[in-house]
Amino acid sequence: MNERPAKRGFATRPGDAEGWIRSADSPARRANDASGFTARLTIDVTPAQRGRIKVAAFQRGVTVADMLRDLLARAFPDDPGETS
């Protein structure tokens, strides 16, 4: 009879367990993300506006969230006297 090969899991662990554990300690993806994000902002936009935002982010090579965070940071700087 033919035996079925053992099923592999969705993700397999690397052979080097120590390196796998230490990879979780790698720095955050964004250098300016010191405190992490603690709140979610929900806004209502039309489907057409959502499409334009997604296309603009794609053309700039960034995610929509990153693009909007940068936009909000420029509009509302930490220092009220600061201008962009």
Side-chain angles (χ1 to χ4, degrees), residues 12-24:
T12 58
R13 287 183 253 188
D16 177 23
E18 197 64 33
W20 182 50
I21 293 168
R22 289 182 190 195
S23 68

Side-chain angles (χ1 to χ4, degrees), residues 21-34:
I21 293 168
R22 289 182 190 195
S23 68
D25 296 333
S26 61
R29 191 170 57 95
R30 284 183 292 278
N32 62 352
D33 182 20

Side-chain angles (χ1 to χ4, degrees), residues 33-80:
D33 182 20
S35 63
F37 302 111
T38 59
R40 182 173 300 263
L41 177 66
T42 303
I43 60 170
D44 294 322
V45 296
T46 64
Q49 190 175 29
R50 179 177 178 262
R52 290 192 305 270
I53 292 168
K54 289 176 73 172
V55 168
F58 179 77
Q59 289 173 338
R60 296 174 188 182
V62 297
T63 65
V64 170
D66 287 340
M67 184 181 74
L68 293 177
R69 280 187 206 106
D70 290 342
L71 176 70
L72 291 170
R74 287 193 309 270
F76 304 100
D78 288 337
D79 181 10

